[in-house]
Amino acid sequence: MKFVAFERAKQGTGASRRLRVTGRTPGIVYGGSSEPALIELDHNALWHALKKEAFHASILDMELNGKESKVLLRNVQMHPFKQLVLHIDFQRVEANTRLSMKVPLHFSGEENSPAAKVDACLINHVVTELEVACLPADLPEFINVDLSGLVKGKSLHVADLSLPKGVTAVTHGKANPVIVAVVAPVEEVIAPVAAAPAADAKGKGKGKK
């Protein structure tokens, strides 16, 4: 996915505010062997790009001063209540340097699994993205997760995923995190109605003198 950036001459709060008034968004590109570069982007084009999943989870082609370079989106600062991008950060990508990136998970086959179709279990997507480490050329836009084999009483973990070649999961010390949890339906138990206590015999204790 490609986008166009322009050099930004001035920095600071006042300069950034004036830039936004003109329909531009301030940003920065850092990493690699080059110094950080101040950039600006057309806000409307950026706003529409941010709605696309690929802009968040794939290597992007940035054109700056007629030259293209590979970058990753690293941070977006949004206005608290306006539809306005305040600032954006990109990281340069080098072909021989491994990177870490969160990649979206695309689930399929859930409705055909024995857990859902036969046992009416609740299928809970615990996470919807997975952090991975790989070389830039191996970075997938998304990871397919086939749920057609889910069964009652067994959840899906990171180790159960089929990751692309050269891609490893980053779990930050967790042994084998749950990706999808299978929750059995709650069975309604009707408690038996307790028998009414036998009524005391009429006149019990009466008539005694």
Side-chain angles (χ1 to χ4, degrees):
M1 189 172 177
K2 182 179 179 179
F3 69 97
V4 178
F6 307 90
E7 281 190 344
R8 177 162 56 100
K10 297 180 180 180
Q11 58 180 318
T13 303
S16 294
R17 187 182 299 113
R18 289 190 293 272
L19 193 65
R20 296 185 193 104
V21 171
T22 65
R24 297 292 183 98
T25 300
I28 189 171
V29 183
Y30 59 85
S33 56
S34 303
E35 292 295 319
L38 300 178
I39 61 171
E40 59 185 68
L41 292 83
D42 178 80
H43 182 272
N44 287 340
L46 175 61
W47 180 263
H48 290 294
L50 287 169
K51 294 180 180 181
K52 300 178 181 179
E53 184 180 76
F55 196 75
H56 296 262
S58 62
I59 296 174
L60 307 171
D61 294 313
M62 182 186 71
E63 181 183 328
L64 179 64
N65 293 333
K67 297 180 179 180
E68 286 192 9
S69 57
K70 305 290 185 181
V71 298
L72 286 172
L73 174 62
R74 282 308 191 189
N75 188 51
V76 180
Q77 183 182 352
M78 304 293 297
H79 193 279
F81 56 86
K82 294 181 180 179
Q83 291 187 345
L84 181 66
V85 184
L86 298 178
H87 195 275
I88 192 161
D89 296 0
F90 296 97
Q91 180 185 350
R92 296 186 185 94
V93 172
E94 296 184 336
N96 297 322
T97 302
R98 286 176 66 85
L99 53 84
S100 294
M101 188 76 178
K102 289 185 177 180
V103 176
L105 302 176
H106 287 188
F107 300 98
S108 63
E110 175 181 322
E111 65 280 0
N112 295 321
S113 67
K117 197 171 185 178
V118 178
D119 297 308
C121 294
L122 176 64
I123 310 300
N124 182 19
H125 299 172
V126 179
V127 296
T128 56
E129 58 183 12
L130 178 69
E131 185 173 350
V132 300
C134 61
L135 290 173
D138 297 326
L139 180 66
E141 287 190 16
F142 58 87
I143 296 173
N144 283 313
V145 183
D146 182 9
L147 303 181
S148 60
L150 288 180
V151 295
K152 181 179 179 180
K154 185 177 180 181
S155 297
L156 188 77
H157 295 74
V158 168
D160 301 318
L161 299 179
S162 297
L163 299 179
K165 184 179 179 180
V167 177
T168 56
V170 179
T171 59
H172 298 286
K174 296 181 181 179
N176 194 15
V178 175
I179 299 296
V180 176
V182 179
V183 182
V186 178
E187 296 182 3
E188 185 178 356
V189 178
I190 302 176
V193 179
D200 291 340
K202 292 183 178 180
K204 182 178 180 181
K206 293 183 179 179
K208 293 184 179 180
K209 295 182 179 179

